[in-house]
Amino acid sequence: MKKTLTIPTISCEHCLKSIERELTFVDGVDYVQGNIDSKAVMVEYRDGASLDEARTSLSEAGYAPSN
């Protein structure tokens, strides 16, 4: 499954790498690709996995998704 998360606080390459690294530790997430210009991160995850943990993890790291 794929989901694009909009993260308004992405402002630089460091932010993007931090977000991508944070999401790699979330159970069920297989692939992450971000884009600074669109302030979005595409997350590919396994069926049955929930993105709630990903959203919580990003929020705690200071990168709360808006969707």
Side-chain angles (χ1 to χ4, degrees):
M1 300 176 72
K2 293 181 183 179
K3 173 75 175 174
T4 300
L5 298 175
T6 303
I7 305 175
T9 54
I10 296 176
S11 61
C12 65
E13 190 68 30
H14 174 74
C15 295
L16 187 57
K17 292 299 176 192
S18 295
I19 290 165
E20 290 174 341
R21 185 178 57 249
E22 190 73 30
L23 289 173
T24 62
F25 293 112
V26 175
D27 188 40
V29 172
D30 293 325
Y31 180 76
V32 179
Q33 182 178 12
N35 184 295
I36 295 170
D37 295 330
S38 64
K39 297 188 181 290
V41 178
M42 190 277 297
V43 181
E44 190 172 311
Y45 57 102
R46 290 180 224 129
D47 287 339
S50 170
L51 285 185
D52 291 341
E53 184 181 343
R55 287 184 180 97
T56 299
S57 181
L58 288 173
S59 294
E60 289 173 356
Y63 301 106
S66 63
N67 62 334

